[in-house]
Amino acid sequence: MQLAEPQDFERVLSSMCTEPHPAAREAAERFLATNPGDPGTYETVSDLETRAVELLGAVTGHPDPAGYVTSGGTEANIQAVRIARNRADTSDPNVVAPASAHFSFTKAANVLGVELRTAPTTGHRADPEAMAELVDEDTVCVVAVAGSTEYGYVDPVPAIADLAADVDALCHVDAAWGGFVLPFTDHEWDFSDTAIDTLTIDPHKMGQAAIPAGGLLVRSERLLDELAIETPYLESTSQVTLTGTRSGAGVASAVAAMEELWPAGYREQYEVSMANAEWLADQLRARGHDVVDPDLPVVAADLSVPMTEELRSRGWRVSKTGAGEMRVVCMPHVTRSMLRSFVADLDWY
Ligand SMILES: *Cc1c(COP(=O)(O)O)cnc(C)c1O
């Protein structure tokens, strides 16, 4: 029987995930048959998870972090909203987020019975004044995005944290994609910069770990208690995760990637990816396209629909923003030579 082969990354410009680092791939394979959801049985991988949280703390400026390795940014965002909802004293909770927030917040609101209120953005970033009009005494969580899914833009996190504090809500930062590039920029986004409470950061995106490896971090252990559920049949007595049985491969792989790459390897990757994004933006501008200035390594430009379709038919995997722009995510597998042949195909068109 012919074994199916996964796609290669040679023409993938649309994904927020990438080829895992070799050390991360190896660790994922080694820990395939482990379950950190049962720490009494799978002790080694449980220790690795503690290490993963420590390392994620280093990346996000938190000397004493608590949290866990989630199945991805979606679970981390759902759990952050759940913490905020459980902690608050209201029967009619709402979450305020910029319109640029990831669709996982819609899932969170739906699953948790919370109202999601989204405020228009200005220049692809959250507008704290527009968000201020939506908060009230039933607001349990105010969301800031650090590295938006569509444009890679960073919200004014300190102003959003102030707004959250004003109404005694938690401030959650979604750095699912941006978390492993932001430390090398001037943006204020992490636990050391501002009074944020919870944060999403995914090793399986810019962190170069194998899927599934997301991350939820909280400022103090106390916040995790909001998630604790008793577990009668396990040796451990309570569980804070949303999933029960879960992948030890993701946990081990996240540790391997971070031990290998934090900080020098991630810095180098950020510099290469950013230079690629700027190069591509220049090339597109030179061809007369309107380009959204890249802030982090994401490029969006107003290519026509037929042009984007032609690129797709040539095997390029590109995606579109809600506004219809073509979007390229300069992940670690996206090299300059890949982008050169992409641009050459554009010129052919
Ligand atoms: C990718 C992404 C998510 C969702 O993460 P998954 O790992 O796909 O569940 C959430 N927020 C942002 C900003 C993202 O880029």
Side-chain angles (χ1 to χ4, degrees):
M1 200 185 80
Q2 184 89 35
L3 277 182
E5 282 290 328
Q7 93 301 319
D8 61 40
F9 281 94
E10 216 175 309
R11 295 201 157 200
V12 174
L13 301 177
S14 54
S15 184
M16 299 192 114
C17 296
T18 193
E19 191 90 70
H21 185 282
R25 177 184 290 276
E26 201 256 334
E29 286 169 1
R30 201 148 26 95
F31 279 84
L32 207 52
T34 63
N35 170 20
D38 179 3
T41 308
Y42 300 89
E43 288 169 16
T44 312
V45 78
S46 173
D47 292 345
L48 280 178
E49 185 161 32
T50 307
R51 177 73 182 138
V53 170
E54 238 172 66
L55 284 159
L56 286 170
V59 177
T60 59
H62 195 330
D64 186 25
Y68 73 95
V69 177
T70 64
S71 55
T74 300
E75 181 184 344
N77 286 342
I78 291 173
Q79 293 281 76
V81 174
R82 186 169 158 222
I83 290 171
R85 185 201 64 176
N86 289 359
R87 156 191 175 279
D89 183 21
T90 164
S91 55
D92 191 16
N94 70 72
V95 171
V96 173
S100 51
H102 187 264
F103 55 78
S104 48
F105 289 100
T106 309
K107 296 184 186 176
N110 194 257
V111 167
L112 296 166
V114 169
E115 181 196 352
L116 177 63
R117 300 179 176 175
T118 57
T121 55
T122 306
H124 306 304
R125 288 188 179 87
D127 175 349
E129 281 174 27
M131 291 173 73
E133 288 184 18
L134 300 182
V135 299
D136 58 26
E137 69 273 17
D138 294 320
T139 302
V140 298
C141 181
V142 184
V143 175
V145 184
S148 63
T149 311
E150 293 202 313
Y151 300 104
Y153 273 36
V154 183
D155 291 342
V157 178
I160 293 172
D162 287 348
L163 179 61
D166 285 348
V167 292
D168 191 29
L170 293 189
C171 178
H172 175 64
V173 171
D174 183 2
W177 177 78
F180 285 91
V181 289
L182 284 162
F184 314 109
T185 69
D186 294 334
H187 288 292
E188 293 184 290
W189 67 287
D190 71 8
F191 288 100
S192 68
D193 292 320
T194 44
I196 62 169
D197 300 287
T198 56
L199 182 142
T200 293
I201 173 171
D202 284 358
H204 72 202
K205 290 185 170 170
M206 273 291 184
Q208 298 178 47
I211 302 167
L216 172 69
L217 293 183
V218 299
R219 183 169 292 275
S220 86
E221 188 89 43
R222 204 169 29 78
L223 289 171
L224 278 188
D225 294 343
E226 302 290 350
L227 302 174
I229 297 293
E230 282 178 36
T231 52
Y233 73 86
L234 297 178
E235 285 166 77
S236 46
T237 54
S238 84
Q239 196 172 76
V240 299
T241 54
L242 192 56
T243 51
T245 300
R246 61 200 170 97
S247 170
V251 171
S253 153
V255 171
M258 289 188 280
E259 286 193 333
E260 195 72 26
L261 296 168
W262 173 257
Y266 288 128
R267 175 186 293 278
E268 200 182 313
Q269 185 57 57
Y270 161 71
E271 284 165 0
V272 169
S273 293
M274 201 59 223
N276 281 339
E278 274 157 6
W279 181 87
L280 179 62
D282 285 345
Q283 295 293 317
L284 293 169
R285 266 191 220 104
R287 285 160 179 77
H289 297 289
D290 263 341
V291 177
V292 180
D293 264 334
D295 185 2
L296 299 181
V298 178
V299 182
D302 69 338
L303 266 60
S304 68
V305 172
M307 206 169 192
T308 309
E309 272 163 15
E310 173 66 25
L311 289 166
R312 279 197 69 88
S313 75
R314 289 174 166 242
W316 293 105
R317 294 290 163 256
V318 287
S319 56
K320 274 189 302 193
T321 66
E325 295 125 327
M326 177 210 67
R327 162 179 167 275
V328 169
V329 191
C330 293
M331 294 302 291
H333 66 269
V334 176
T335 60
R336 185 67 61 92
S337 73
M338 243 173 106
L339 293 175
R340 281 187 205 286
S341 59
F342 178 71
V343 168
D345 274 3
L346 270 180
D347 286 343
W348 180 89
Y349 183 88

